[in-house]
Amino acid sequence: MEEHVTVFFKVMDRGFNLHVPADQEQYYIRAKESFKRFVEKYKAKGHDEMEAIALTSIDSIVSLQRNYDQLEKQKQHLANMIALWDTKVDKSLKN
């Protein structure tokens, strides 16, 4: 059975607990710290807290989509390399 831990997040004046797999706790903590840094960056540019949170959320979504697209391209490239390798091996075995 997978062990879970609780991670506390505070957004503006509200907080909430997430129950996350214990082996993934470090990712949630790092994400929270990164999120807070980005919010502060936007606040330093003159945005209020709600705008800063919204802009940081949008940045996060865009970053996830960009990384997903890059991963898909890498998967396709790897599949093409494997197919090419299979073709070469088949030709070698036939000779």
Side-chain angles (χ1 to χ4, degrees):
M1 177 144 184
E2 199 172 80
E3 182 184 353
H4 283 72
V5 296
T6 299
V7 178
F8 180 78
F9 280 79
K10 183 176 181 184
V11 179
M12 295 185 69
D13 61 345
R14 293 186 60 188
F16 53 93
N17 292 309
L18 295 176
H19 299 287
V20 300
D23 64 336
Q24 295 180 22
E25 178 183 16
Q26 64 177 325
Y27 302 117
Y28 286 84
I29 291 170
R30 286 181 14 208
K32 177 175 68 173
E33 295 305 316
S34 178
F35 195 87
K36 285 162 77 173
R37 279 194 309 275
F38 273 84
V39 167
E40 291 305 318
K41 177 185 81 167
Y42 279 116
K43 286 169 69 175
K45 290 182 178 181
H47 296 282
D48 68 25
E49 191 161 18
M50 187 60 86
E51 290 171 333
I53 290 169
L55 290 167
T56 301
S57 298
I58 292 167
D59 282 349
S60 298
I61 292 167
V62 169
S63 179
L64 286 170
Q65 185 62 51
R66 185 177 53 249
N67 290 336
Y68 177 80
D69 290 347
Q70 290 173 348
L71 181 60
E72 287 300 311
K73 287 178 186 176
Q74 289 175 345
K75 277 178 33 182
Q76 187 58 49
H77 182 68
L78 182 59
N80 292 342
M81 288 174 53
I82 291 171
L84 180 62
W85 182 75
D86 281 344
T87 302
K88 288 181 179 183
V89 169
D90 286 345
K91 285 182 182 178
S92 294
L93 291 175
K94 289 179 183 177
N95 291 332

